[in-house]
Each structure stands twice: as C-alpha cells, then as structure tokens.
C-alpha cells in the first residue's frame, strides 16, 4: 500500500511547549492513528540520542544538519526536535565562506553567532562546516585579489620610443635626393646644405615612404646647424596631399651654431599606419642651414612588456615518419620527436609550421625555436609569412646556431595580421652543413601593459593572506565554542590517478569557473591543505579536531578508490611532520536499492569503507548521511510514491549502517554520525527535492526510518 500522508505527531503542540526549558520532560504521548495502525509502534520510541550506549561509546556524537534560518533560539519545531534528539548540530550554509564574506571582502559573522547561540540554548554542540572548499566561495572578491598589479609609476611621465630616423651624416655628398619643390639643397659633408636665395623656400628632408607612423603623440628631434639666429623657419609633417590629409606645422626657433630642436606633434591619427612627409620651410629667412638628422619618437605612458603564448607546435609528441607538410624540395623526416635535417650540399628550406596552425593578429611577436645541431652553423634563418602574393608580409630572422640543443628567441615586431592571418613558418638552413633537429616552436605575443600580472608566488602569498583573514575571523566569531571542523571539504577528484594510482585533487575546469574558486590551483595540492590546517590550529581553540570531508567514499564502482586516494593524500599532507589531520568525514549521500544485487554491492562497499577508515587510525565521522530510494528500474522514487515496504527497506538499511559503524569503528576512533536531512525534502528543495531523505516527515512526524536508526543506535 502507498503512504501518501500519515499523522503521528512526534512533538507536542508548539503552544504547549512555549517557555519549556526542561527538555527531558518532553513527552511523546500521541493519539493512536486511526488510518495506519502500522505506525503506532513509533509512539513507544524515546528520543534518538537516548539509544546511544554512552558507557561503551563515550565519544560518539549524534548529529543533525540544519538550515540555520529554521534553527532559531527557542522557536519552531525544528529547534525543539534537534534539542531533544541530537548531541551536535551542523549549519547547512551559515558557516561557509560565501555566507560570511561578500563580493567586496567584507566579513559578517552574525549568522554564525546566531547559530551558535541557538545551539547553546538547545544544549547541543556545533560542528563547523566548512573552512576550505572550492564551492560557495566569494568568487568575485577572491578573483579581484589576483588581478594584475598596477605599476608604481609617474602617470605624467612618458616613454620615448624611436620609430623612424633619417640620418644624413652617413650619406655621401650628392645632389638633393628627393622630389624637388623649387629648391634642391645638396648633401655636403654629411648634411643637407641650404643657403637662402631671397625667395620663399621649402624642401623635403624625410619622405613619407620611409616614415611610417601609427596613431599617437610624437616628439621630433631635429639636428641642425645655422650660421645665425633667425625666425620664420617651420617644420611640417603631413600624410598626404588631398583634402583629408593630416597636416601639422610647428615653428623652429633657430639659434646660431649646432643645435638639437625638440618639436612636439601630438594627436597623429595614422590608423592604420601611414607615411608622413617631413618638409622644412625656411620660407624667407636669411640663413645657412645644415640639416644633419631628424628622429621621430613615439610618446607613451610607462608600461611593461609581457609575453602571452598564442601558439605552440611540437614534434616531440609525434611518431617517427615522413615529412608531414607540403614539400619545397627538402623533406626531412620526423625522427625521435624532431624534424631531422641532414644537409645535402644544396640550398634547402622546409616548412616547420604550416599557416593553418599559426593564426596571428596584429602585434609584436617572439618566436622560440627549440632546435639541436651537431655543430655551430651560420646562415640558418627562420621566415614567417602570411601568404605568397605581392601583398604578403614576410619576415626573416637569423638563427645563431650553436652545437647542442638550445632554444633561440627570435623577435618579429610589427606583424600586421589584422584581421588575424595565417603565418607559415619556414626554416631555411640554406647551405649550412650542420645536422639540425627541430623540436618545437612557441609563439608569444608581446603586450605592453600599465599593469603586470602577479607571479605565481605573489598569487600564493595573496591567497594565503585571504585564507588567514577568513579563518581567523571565523574562529574569533566562534569564540572557542566550535571545537571540531571540516577543515577541507571535497578536495579529491574522482579520477586522473597518478603513477601510484592516487586520484588527483579537484581543480578548475579548462577555461576556469565563474561559480567556484579552487584554492589549490594557486596554493598547490600540498600547501592548500597544510595552510588550512595550520591556520585552523593557530586561531582555533586548543585541541580543535580537524576533519577532511568528502563524498563517494563508499563507492562500489571503483572499490572505494576515492577513499583510498584520500587516505594516501592525508599521508602526503602529514609528511612534513607538522600537519596533523584528526579525522575523515564520509558524506554518504546514498540510496536504498530495490535491486537486491545492487544493494548487496553497495553494502559491501560501505562495510569496506568503514574498515579502511578504521585502519587509517583517524577519527571516523559519517558527516552527511541521507538516503533516497531507487526502484528496480533504476529510478529515484519520490516521497509521495513510496510504499510501506519501501519505507521499511530504508529503515532496515539505516539500522544496518549504524550497527556496522559501531561494529567496525573502534570506540576511540568514533566521532559520530550526522543525519544530514532531518525531514524529507520539499518538492522545491535544492537538495534531493521531493525525496524521502528524512527520519521525520515535513510535518515532523516520525517515519519507519526513525525506528531503523534508533534500533541501530541501540544495537537491535
């Protein structure tokens, strides 16, 4: 028969209990049910904690997980139920970091202190859950701590970067070399020599084809000598001759003798880069001028250059075989993870990275070539190019080949792949006679920043500070009243075993996470836990007990592989001789299975879990026990669809689990069992919604599972 609703009040009317301070006087007298006589026996049960044999199991604590909003001082049935039935309570969320630390890093422990106060009034202890975890973290604040570090610079200071120069000092004597605009001063003794002729004059000193500028502010240095001081001389730069050309003219305050004139040209709008002609205009000034050199400097705010990897191509993971790319006459095979080039005496070149694998945008790049040679060689080059037609961009850099294996850093500034273009990479041994092995190519873009990323060491130091601040704040809020904690929660992944078969720790997924924050990604797998343990002992009460809590430790599909891995990790964390972890918490979010074979396998794994935990020598806590029901077809059964037989099967399984705990866990290693769901889950619950996970119904009446649990505690 299905049980849709039953009315066995396990509590007195709330009105009758108002002001009652003596919980031992709480009676369970109830009226005999009129509808289901099979539940009448529950009236005879005492509160759960009375079934624990304290003389045999002096350390055992019966716990309950509670929603802090429902567990308010002296009010509500859940408060009275917990006070009467349990030794210890655990807050569902109130003591997690995201509940106490907001997006600005502000800490508020009012929910924690309220929960502890309620527990004190109920006469139960509080178990802390949880100090370190990747979920329910103030992700926005923690990520803000890791943002790039602003540079300590003078914001008014400017960096000068030389971008173009026209130097006459190294030119031979010759006639005026540029397009003539009426006057043509020749090159004489390393200078363009101008003598005024009484007319209005102007002439090129830097043609635009050699003076490519990009958008920005510029300083021009003009190196020039004059026989006299004079006014009226101007310098003009312009990027064309049509109506939309940019034209900027500034005066040159000519003095007698050799001088360097610094002239400012802000707001150049060359986007993309364009050539700027430079025209000197003596106009009608009476003077003799010798123009020796002109330099263009781009003015930028102080910045640092950082490299960011955009592509990595390797042969080290490829099997030996023939040359894998399009052939250009030379086809070195892959041998021992490298393109193996043996010179033939002929001029040679070959692809090392095809363009389809090397899409690059506009910017400055560094190519890192990992290559070996049997001896030093000259003439070896690396070419990168984004096509083969007349408009293709082509860069070539020499590789100073030395004997042995080396990584060569080759700079390729000014790639104009905008939008992104594919760049072929070609190694050109040319006629070099060295044997070359090309292993890999790493391509980094060089970015200029006004801030610089934190180093891994700085990130670790910053997050250690954040964890210190958090744990210290929590322990101060608890005022020494919480004497046991889940110091680290759910650290172990369910796979990726190492060479010893030990599962890896959990880490952020590829691409990161917007909802979780994995401390271990920055503190390291070892120091993450060691730091949390150290801080908990530093700020916690004397003798505080610290547990590592995790789920799926009772897994039957991998023979308790996750628990075995956790025990191995605990040994690694404790290997420093300082870190001490007191206990292991097993969450045990399980189900009762209608399939007898499945259920038997599950029970064997639970039994093995208890044996492994006992053998670890650590305290053993069933930290979050709750149970659903799975029918023969493998479907979870909702509370509204449960049958009497299924309720009794669940009660039997609770009974078996509790008795196995007492049977297999030595008394000195027992911490206790915490029932995570006191009542069944509502249909809108965020946890196992609609499932029969409680020992009480939603209206706080006892279920058959209550009897199974109580009998297990009593050893019946």
């Amino acid at each position: 028969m299905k049980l849709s609703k039953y009315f066995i009040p396990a509590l007195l009317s709330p009105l009758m209990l108002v002001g009652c301070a003596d919980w031992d006087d709480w009676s369970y007298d109830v009226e005999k049910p009129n509808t289901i006589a099979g539940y009448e026996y529950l009236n005879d049960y005492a509160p759960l904690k009375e079934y624990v044999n304290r003389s045999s199991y002096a350390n055992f604590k019966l716990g309950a997980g509670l929603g802090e909003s429902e567990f308010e001082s002296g009010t509500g049935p859940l408060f009275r139920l917990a006070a009467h039935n349990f030794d210890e309570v655990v807050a569902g969320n109130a003591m997690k970091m995201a509940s106490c630390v907001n997006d600005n890093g502000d800490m508020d422990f009012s929910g924690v202190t309220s929960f502890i106060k309620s527990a004190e009034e109920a006469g139960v202890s509080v178990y802390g859950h949880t100090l370190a975890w990747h979920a329910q973290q103030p992700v926005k604040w923690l990520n803000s701590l890791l943002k790039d570090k602003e540079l300590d610079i003078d914001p008014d200071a400017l960096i000068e970067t030389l971008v173009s120069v026209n130097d006459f000092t190294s030119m031979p004597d010759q006639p005026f070399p540029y397009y003539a605009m009426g006057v043509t001063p020749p090159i004489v003794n390393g200078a363009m020599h101008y003598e005024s002729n009484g007319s209005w004059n102007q002439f090129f000193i830097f043609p635009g084809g050699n003076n490519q500028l990009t958008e920005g502010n510029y300083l021009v240095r003009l190196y020039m000598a004059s026989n006299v001081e004079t006014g009226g001389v101007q310098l003009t730069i312009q990027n064309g001759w049509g109506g939309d050309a940019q034209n900027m003219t500034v005066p040159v305050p000519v003095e007698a003798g050799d001088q360097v004139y610094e002239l400012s040209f802000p707001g150049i709008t060359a986007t993309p880069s364009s050539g700027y002609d430079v025209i000197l205009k003596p106009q009608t000034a009476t003077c003799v001028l010798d123009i020796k050199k002109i330099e263009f400097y781009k003015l930028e705010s102080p910045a640092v250059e950082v490299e960011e990897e955009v592509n990595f191509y390797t042969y080290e993971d490829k099997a030996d075989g023939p040359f894998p790319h399009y052939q250009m006459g030379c086809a070195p095979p892959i041998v021992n993870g490298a393109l193996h080039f043996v010179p033939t005496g002929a001029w040679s070149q070959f692809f090392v990275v095809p363009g389809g694998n090397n899409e690059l945008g506009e910017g400055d790049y560094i190519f890192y070539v990992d290559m070996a040679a049997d001896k030093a060689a000259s003439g070896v080059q690396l070419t990168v190019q984004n096509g083969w037609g007349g408009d293709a961009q082509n860069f070539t850099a020499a590789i100073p080949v030395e004997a042995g294996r080396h990584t060569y850093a080759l700079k390729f500034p000014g790639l104009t792949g905008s939008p992104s273009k594919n760049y072929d990479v070609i190694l050109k041994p040319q006629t070099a006679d060295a044997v070359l092995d090309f292993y890999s190519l790493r391509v980094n873009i060089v970015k200029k920043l006004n801030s610089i990323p934190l180093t891994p060491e700085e990130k670790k130091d910053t997050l250690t500070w954040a964890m210190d601040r958090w744990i210290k704040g929590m322990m101060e809020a608890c005022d020494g009243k919480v004497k046991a904690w889940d110091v680290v929660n759910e650290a172990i992944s369910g796979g990726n075993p190492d060479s010893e078969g030990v599962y890896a720790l959990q880490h952020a997924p590829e691409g990161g996470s917007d909802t979780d924050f994995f401390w271990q990604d920055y503190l390291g797998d070892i120091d993450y836990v060691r730091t949390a343990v150290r801080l908990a002992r530093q700020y916690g009460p004397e003798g505080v007990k610290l547990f590592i809590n995790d789920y799926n430790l009772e897994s039957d599909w991998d023979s308790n592989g996750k628990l075995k891995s956790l025990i191995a990790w605990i040994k690694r964390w404790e290997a420093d001789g300082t870190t001490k972890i007191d206990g292991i918490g097993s969450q045990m979010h399980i189900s009762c299975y209608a399939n007898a074979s499945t259920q038997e396998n599950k029970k064997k794994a639970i039994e093995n879990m208890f044996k492994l935990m006992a053998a670890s020598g650590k305290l053993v806590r069933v930290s979050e026990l709750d149970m659903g029901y799975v029918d023969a077809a493998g479907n979870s059964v909702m509370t509204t669809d449960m049958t009497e037989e299924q309720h009794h099967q669940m009660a039997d399984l609770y009974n078996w689990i509790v008795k196995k705990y007492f049977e297999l866990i030595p008394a000195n290693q027992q911490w206790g069992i915490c029932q995570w769901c006191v009542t069944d889950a509502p249909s809108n619950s965020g946890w196992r919604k609609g499932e029969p996970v409680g020992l009480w119904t939603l209206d706080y009446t006892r279920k058959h599972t209550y009897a199974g649990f109580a009998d297990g505690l009593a050893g019946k």
Side-chain angles (χ1 to χ4, degrees), residues 172-197:
D173 290 357
Q174 58 181 299
F176 181 70
Y178 307 127
Y179 177 80
M181 293 188 292
V183 61
T184 57
I187 308 297
V188 178
N189 295 326
M192 184 174 284
H193 183 71
Y194 166 80
E195 296 183 8
S196 57
N197 56 17

PDB file of all heavy atoms in Angstrom, residues 172-197:
ATOM      1  N   PRO A 172      76.867  59.993 -48.557  1.00  0.00           N
ATOM      2  CA  PRO A 172      77.930  60.639 -49.352  1.00  0.00           C
ATOM      3  C   PRO A 172      77.435  61.958 -49.956  1.00  0.00           C
ATOM      4  O   PRO A 172      76.229  62.189 -50.066  1.00  0.00           O
ATOM      5  CB  PRO A 172      78.212  59.600 -50.437  1.00  0.00           C
ATOM      6  CG  PRO A 172      76.916  58.860 -50.596  1.00  0.00           C
ATOM      7  CD  PRO A 172      76.304  58.804 -49.221  1.00  0.00           C
ATOM      8  N   ASP A 173      78.350  62.789 -50.300  1.00  0.00           N
ATOM      9  CA  ASP A 173      77.973  64.026 -50.982  1.00  0.00           C
ATOM     10  C   ASP A 173      77.233  63.685 -52.270  1.00  0.00           C
ATOM     11  O   ASP A 173      77.638  62.775 -53.018  1.00  0.00           O
ATOM     12  CB  ASP A 173      79.214  64.862 -51.323  1.00  0.00           C
ATOM     13  CG  ASP A 173      79.874  65.456 -50.073  1.00  0.00           C
ATOM     14  OD1 ASP A 173      79.316  65.243 -48.967  1.00  0.00           O
ATOM     15  OD2 ASP A 173      80.920  66.109 -50.207  1.00  0.00           O
ATOM     16  N   GLN A 174      76.136  64.385 -52.500  1.00  0.00           N
ATOM     17  CA  GLN A 174      75.316  64.103 -53.680  1.00  0.00           C
ATOM     18  C   GLN A 174      74.321  65.236 -53.877  1.00  0.00           C
ATOM     19  O   GLN A 174      74.090  66.045 -52.969  1.00  0.00           O
ATOM     20  CB  GLN A 174      74.565  62.774 -53.504  1.00  0.00           C
ATOM     21  CG  GLN A 174      73.658  62.756 -52.266  1.00  0.00           C
ATOM     22  CD  GLN A 174      72.947  61.432 -52.095  1.00  0.00           C
ATOM     23  OE1 GLN A 174      72.191  61.036 -52.972  1.00  0.00           O
ATOM     24  NE2 GLN A 174      73.215  60.753 -50.974  1.00  0.00           N
ATOM     25  N   PRO A 175      73.686  65.291 -55.033  1.00  0.00           N
ATOM     26  CA  PRO A 175      72.643  66.295 -55.249  1.00  0.00           C
ATOM     27  C   PRO A 175      71.445  66.015 -54.344  1.00  0.00           C
ATOM     28  O   PRO A 175      71.327  64.953 -53.732  1.00  0.00           O
ATOM     29  CB  PRO A 175      72.283  66.128 -56.729  1.00  0.00           C
ATOM     30  CG  PRO A 175      73.408  65.370 -57.328  1.00  0.00           C
ATOM     31  CD  PRO A 175      73.970  64.511 -56.233  1.00  0.00           C
ATOM     32  N   PHE A 176      70.539  66.950 -54.272  1.00  0.00           N
ATOM     33  CA  PHE A 176      69.318  66.783 -53.483  1.00  0.00           C
ATOM     34  C   PHE A 176      68.636  65.470 -53.869  1.00  0.00           C
ATOM     35  O   PHE A 176      68.358  65.237 -55.055  1.00  0.00           O
ATOM     36  CB  PHE A 176      68.392  67.981 -53.743  1.00  0.00           C
ATOM     37  CG  PHE A 176      67.110  67.941 -52.970  1.00  0.00           C
ATOM     38  CD1 PHE A 176      67.106  68.135 -51.591  1.00  0.00           C
ATOM     39  CD2 PHE A 176      65.892  67.720 -53.612  1.00  0.00           C
ATOM     40  CE1 PHE A 176      65.921  68.120 -50.882  1.00  0.00           C
ATOM     41  CE2 PHE A 176      64.707  67.690 -52.900  1.00  0.00           C
ATOM     42  CZ  PHE A 176      64.717  67.890 -51.522  1.00  0.00           C
ATOM     43  N   PRO A 177      68.357  64.571 -52.908  1.00  0.00           N
ATOM     44  CA  PRO A 177      67.909  63.216 -53.262  1.00  0.00           C
ATOM     45  C   PRO A 177      66.386  63.040 -53.378  1.00  0.00           C
ATOM     46  O   PRO A 177      65.943  61.929 -53.683  1.00  0.00           O
ATOM     47  CB  PRO A 177      68.459  62.372 -52.104  1.00  0.00           C
ATOM     48  CG  PRO A 177      68.468  63.308 -50.929  1.00  0.00           C
ATOM     49  CD  PRO A 177      68.733  64.683 -51.485  1.00  0.00           C
ATOM     50  N   TYR A 178      65.609  64.077 -53.127  1.00  0.00           N
ATOM     51  CA  TYR A 178      64.168  63.884 -53.056  1.00  0.00           C
ATOM     52  C   TYR A 178      63.460  64.699 -54.140  1.00  0.00           C
ATOM     53  O   TYR A 178      64.086  65.450 -54.902  1.00  0.00           O
ATOM     54  CB  TYR A 178      63.652  64.279 -51.662  1.00  0.00           C
ATOM     55  CG  TYR A 178      64.385  63.581 -50.533  1.00  0.00           C
ATOM     56  CD1 TYR A 178      64.948  64.326 -49.491  1.00  0.00           C
ATOM     57  CD2 TYR A 178      64.549  62.193 -50.530  1.00  0.00           C
ATOM     58  CE1 TYR A 178      65.632  63.694 -48.466  1.00  0.00           C
ATOM     59  CE2 TYR A 178      65.234  61.557 -49.509  1.00  0.00           C
ATOM     60  CZ  TYR A 178      65.780  62.319 -48.477  1.00  0.00           C
ATOM     61  OH  TYR A 178      66.464  61.699 -47.480  1.00  0.00           O
ATOM     62  N   TYR A 179      62.144  64.567 -54.145  1.00  0.00           N
ATOM     63  CA  TYR A 179      61.323  65.315 -55.085  1.00  0.00           C
ATOM     64  C   TYR A 179      61.530  66.810 -54.850  1.00  0.00           C
ATOM     65  O   TYR A 179      61.443  67.293 -53.721  1.00  0.00           O
ATOM     66  CB  TYR A 179      59.848  64.943 -54.900  1.00  0.00           C
ATOM     67  CG  TYR A 179      58.899  65.707 -55.784  1.00  0.00           C
ATOM     68  CD1 TYR A 179      58.707  65.338 -57.116  1.00  0.00           C
ATOM     69  CD2 TYR A 179      58.207  66.817 -55.284  1.00  0.00           C
ATOM     70  CE1 TYR A 179      57.835  66.044 -57.930  1.00  0.00           C
ATOM     71  CE2 TYR A 179      57.333  67.526 -56.088  1.00  0.00           C
ATOM     72  CZ  TYR A 179      57.154  67.139 -57.415  1.00  0.00           C
ATOM     73  OH  TYR A 179      56.290  67.848 -58.215  1.00  0.00           O
ATOM     74  N   ALA A 180      61.804  67.536 -55.907  1.00  0.00           N
ATOM     75  CA  ALA A 180      62.137  68.956 -55.785  1.00  0.00           C
ATOM     76  C   ALA A 180      60.874  69.809 -55.781  1.00  0.00           C
ATOM     77  O   ALA A 180      59.948  69.591 -56.564  1.00  0.00           O
ATOM     78  CB  ALA A 180      63.036  69.387 -56.933  1.00  0.00           C
ATOM     79  N   MET A 181      60.846  70.771 -54.833  1.00  0.00           N
ATOM     80  CA  MET A 181      59.735  71.734 -54.768  1.00  0.00           C
ATOM     81  C   MET A 181      60.285  73.155 -54.936  1.00  0.00           C
ATOM     82  O   MET A 181      59.958  74.061 -54.174  1.00  0.00           O
ATOM     83  CB  MET A 181      59.000  71.604 -53.428  1.00  0.00           C
ATOM     84  CG  MET A 181      58.267  70.287 -53.241  1.00  0.00           C
ATOM     85  SD  MET A 181      57.221  70.268 -51.753  1.00  0.00           S
ATOM     86  CE  MET A 181      58.456  70.306 -50.480  1.00  0.00           C
ATOM     87  N   GLY A 182      61.138  73.334 -55.931  1.00  0.00           N
ATOM     88  CA  GLY A 182      61.658  74.657 -56.250  1.00  0.00           C
ATOM     89  C   GLY A 182      63.071  74.878 -55.782  1.00  0.00           C
ATOM     90  O   GLY A 182      63.844  75.579 -56.436  1.00  0.00           O
ATOM     91  N   VAL A 183      63.444  74.321 -54.626  1.00  0.00           N
ATOM     92  CA  VAL A 183      64.793  74.476 -54.113  1.00  0.00           C
ATOM     93  C   VAL A 183      65.342  73.087 -53.812  1.00  0.00           C
ATOM     94  O   VAL A 183      64.624  72.214 -53.311  1.00  0.00           O
ATOM     95  CB  VAL A 183      64.821  75.376 -52.853  1.00  0.00           C
ATOM     96  CG1 VAL A 183      63.996  74.787 -51.741  1.00  0.00           C
ATOM     97  CG2 VAL A 183      66.256  75.633 -52.378  1.00  0.00           C
ATOM     98  N   THR A 184      66.626  72.847 -54.123  1.00  0.00           N
ATOM     99  CA  THR A 184      67.199  71.490 -54.031  1.00  0.00           C
ATOM    100  C   THR A 184      68.564  71.528 -53.352  1.00  0.00           C
ATOM    101  O   THR A 184      69.610  71.386 -53.993  1.00  0.00           O
ATOM    102  CB  THR A 184      67.332  70.883 -55.438  1.00  0.00           C
ATOM    103  OG1 THR A 184      68.147  71.769 -56.243  1.00  0.00           O
ATOM    104  CG2 THR A 184      65.978  70.677 -56.080  1.00  0.00           C
ATOM    105  N   PRO A 185      68.580  71.677 -52.023  1.00  0.00           N
ATOM    106  CA  PRO A 185      69.864  71.700 -51.312  1.00  0.00           C
ATOM    107  C   PRO A 185      70.574  70.347 -51.409  1.00  0.00           C
ATOM    108  O   PRO A 185      69.961  69.301 -51.159  1.00  0.00           O
ATOM    109  CB  PRO A 185      69.473  72.037 -49.877  1.00  0.00           C
ATOM    110  CG  PRO A 185      68.048  71.650 -49.759  1.00  0.00           C
ATOM    111  CD  PRO A 185      67.433  71.856 -51.109  1.00  0.00           C
ATOM    112  N   PRO A 186      71.854  70.332 -51.735  1.00  0.00           N
ATOM    113  CA  PRO A 186      72.586  69.070 -51.875  1.00  0.00           C
ATOM    114  C   PRO A 186      73.028  68.518 -50.520  1.00  0.00           C
ATOM    115  O   PRO A 186      72.938  69.184 -49.494  1.00  0.00           O
ATOM    116  CB  PRO A 186      73.795  69.492 -52.717  1.00  0.00           C
ATOM    117  CG  PRO A 186      74.040  70.911 -52.287  1.00  0.00           C
ATOM    118  CD  PRO A 186      72.682  71.511 -52.046  1.00  0.00           C
ATOM    119  N   ILE A 187      73.532  67.288 -50.543  1.00  0.00           N
ATOM    120  CA  ILE A 187      74.151  66.677 -49.372  1.00  0.00           C
ATOM    121  C   ILE A 187      75.638  67.020 -49.430  1.00  0.00           C
ATOM    122  O   ILE A 187      76.348  66.657 -50.375  1.00  0.00           O
ATOM    123  CB  ILE A 187      73.965  65.146 -49.346  1.00  0.00           C
ATOM    124  CG1 ILE A 187      72.490  64.767 -49.530  1.00  0.00           C
ATOM    125  CG2 ILE A 187      74.528  64.563 -48.054  1.00  0.00           C
ATOM    126  CD1 ILE A 187      71.582  65.238 -48.448  1.00  0.00           C
ATOM    127  N   VAL A 188      76.106  67.727 -48.399  1.00  0.00           N
ATOM    128  CA  VAL A 188      77.501  68.160 -48.349  1.00  0.00           C
ATOM    129  C   VAL A 188      78.039  67.888 -46.939  1.00  0.00           C
ATOM    130  O   VAL A 188      77.466  68.347 -45.946  1.00  0.00           O
ATOM    131  CB  VAL A 188      77.637  69.659 -48.684  1.00  0.00           C
ATOM    132  CG1 VAL A 188      79.102  70.089 -48.575  1.00  0.00           C
ATOM    133  CG2 VAL A 188      77.109  69.966 -50.084  1.00  0.00           C
ATOM    134  N   ASN A 189      79.106  67.127 -46.857  1.00  0.00           N
ATOM    135  CA  ASN A 189      79.773  66.847 -45.574  1.00  0.00           C
ATOM    136  C   ASN A 189      78.798  66.324 -44.516  1.00  0.00           C
ATOM    137  O   ASN A 189      78.788  66.759 -43.367  1.00  0.00           O
ATOM    138  CB  ASN A 189      80.482  68.104 -45.052  1.00  0.00           C
ATOM    139  CG  ASN A 189      81.609  68.548 -45.950  1.00  0.00           C
ATOM    140  OD1 ASN A 189      82.295  67.724 -46.563  1.00  0.00           O
ATOM    141  ND2 ASN A 189      81.816  69.865 -46.041  1.00  0.00           N
ATOM    142  N   GLY A 190      77.950  65.365 -44.937  1.00  0.00           N
ATOM    143  CA  GLY A 190      77.046  64.705 -44.003  1.00  0.00           C
ATOM    144  C   GLY A 190      75.895  65.566 -43.544  1.00  0.00           C
ATOM    145  O   GLY A 190      75.376  65.362 -42.428  1.00  0.00           O
ATOM    146  N   ALA A 191      75.461  66.516 -44.352  1.00  0.00           N
ATOM    147  CA  ALA A 191      74.307  67.343 -44.005  1.00  0.00           C
ATOM    148  C   ALA A 191      73.648  67.836 -45.285  1.00  0.00           C
ATOM    149  O   ALA A 191      74.303  67.965 -46.336  1.00  0.00           O
ATOM    150  CB  ALA A 191      74.729  68.517 -43.140  1.00  0.00           C
ATOM    151  N   MET A 192      72.330  68.080 -45.199  1.00  0.00           N
ATOM    152  CA  MET A 192      71.641  68.731 -46.305  1.00  0.00           C
ATOM    153  C   MET A 192      71.901  70.233 -46.165  1.00  0.00           C
ATOM    154  O   MET A 192      71.481  70.849 -45.183  1.00  0.00           O
ATOM    155  CB  MET A 192      70.143  68.409 -46.266  1.00  0.00           C
ATOM    156  CG  MET A 192      69.374  68.992 -47.454  1.00  0.00           C
ATOM    157  SD  MET A 192      67.638  68.441 -47.485  1.00  0.00           S
ATOM    158  CE  MET A 192      67.839  66.765 -48.087  1.00  0.00           C
ATOM    159  N   HIS A 193      72.598  70.805 -47.159  1.00  0.00           N
ATOM    160  CA  HIS A 193      73.137  72.173 -47.043  1.00  0.00           C
ATOM    161  C   HIS A 193      72.227  73.148 -47.793  1.00  0.00           C
ATOM    162  O   HIS A 193      72.122  73.109 -49.023  1.00  0.00           O
ATOM    163  CB  HIS A 193      74.548  72.221 -47.618  1.00  0.00           C
ATOM    164  CG  HIS A 193      75.210  73.548 -47.471  1.00  0.00           C
ATOM    165  ND1 HIS A 193      75.630  74.034 -46.253  1.00  0.00           N
ATOM    166  CD2 HIS A 193      75.527  74.513 -48.408  1.00  0.00           C
ATOM    167  CE1 HIS A 193      76.178  75.224 -46.428  1.00  0.00           C
ATOM    168  NE2 HIS A 193      76.115  75.539 -47.740  1.00  0.00           N
ATOM    169  N   TYR A 194      71.615  74.058 -46.990  1.00  0.00           N
ATOM    170  CA  TYR A 194      70.693  75.045 -47.574  1.00  0.00           C
ATOM    171  C   TYR A 194      71.253  76.441 -47.373  1.00  0.00           C
ATOM    172  O   TYR A 194      71.659  76.812 -46.257  1.00  0.00           O
ATOM    173  CB  TYR A 194      69.325  74.947 -46.901  1.00  0.00           C
ATOM    174  CG  TYR A 194      68.426  76.127 -47.198  1.00  0.00           C
ATOM    175  CD1 TYR A 194      67.730  76.204 -48.405  1.00  0.00           C
ATOM    176  CD2 TYR A 194      68.298  77.178 -46.283  1.00  0.00           C
ATOM    177  CE1 TYR A 194      66.911  77.298 -48.688  1.00  0.00           C
ATOM    178  CE2 TYR A 194      67.483  78.265 -46.555  1.00  0.00           C
ATOM    179  CZ  TYR A 194      66.792  78.322 -47.757  1.00  0.00           C
ATOM    180  OH  TYR A 194      65.975  79.409 -48.049  1.00  0.00           O
ATOM    181  N   GLU A 195      71.262  77.212 -48.470  1.00  0.00           N
ATOM    182  CA  GLU A 195      71.619  78.622 -48.417  1.00  0.00           C
ATOM    183  C   GLU A 195      70.461  79.422 -48.976  1.00  0.00           C
ATOM    184  O   GLU A 195      69.991  79.166 -50.098  1.00  0.00           O
ATOM    185  CB  GLU A 195      72.895  78.898 -49.230  1.00  0.00           C
ATOM    186  CG  GLU A 195      74.127  78.189 -48.680  1.00  0.00           C
ATOM    187  CD  GLU A 195      75.388  78.532 -49.463  1.00  0.00           C
ATOM    188  OE1 GLU A 195      75.319  79.440 -50.325  1.00  0.00           O
ATOM    189  OE2 GLU A 195      76.431  77.894 -49.208  1.00  0.00           O
ATOM    190  N   SER A 196      69.960  80.387 -48.186  1.00  0.00           N
ATOM    191  CA  SER A 196      68.796  81.164 -48.626  1.00  0.00           C
ATOM    192  C   SER A 196      69.134  81.964 -49.880  1.00  0.00           C
ATOM    193  O   SER A 196      70.266  82.410 -50.060  1.00  0.00           O
ATOM    194  CB  SER A 196      68.323  82.091 -47.512  1.00  0.00           C
ATOM    195  OG  SER A 196      69.365  82.954 -47.099  1.00  0.00           O
ATOM    196  N   ASN A 197      68.136  82.126 -50.742  1.00  0.00           N
ATOM    197  CA  ASN A 197      68.339  82.814 -52.020  1.00  0.00           C
ATOM    198  C   ASN A 197      67.421  84.014 -52.180  1.00  0.00           C
ATOM    199  O   ASN A 197      67.255  84.555 -53.276  1.00  0.00           O
ATOM    200  CB  ASN A 197      68.140  81.845 -53.188  1.00  0.00           C
ATOM    201  CG  ASN A 197      66.775  81.180 -53.134  1.00  0.00           C
ATOM    202  OD1 ASN A 197      65.867  81.651 -52.438  1.00  0.00           O
ATOM    203  ND2 ASN A 197      66.629  80.080 -53.873  1.00  0.00           N
TER     204      ASN A 197
END
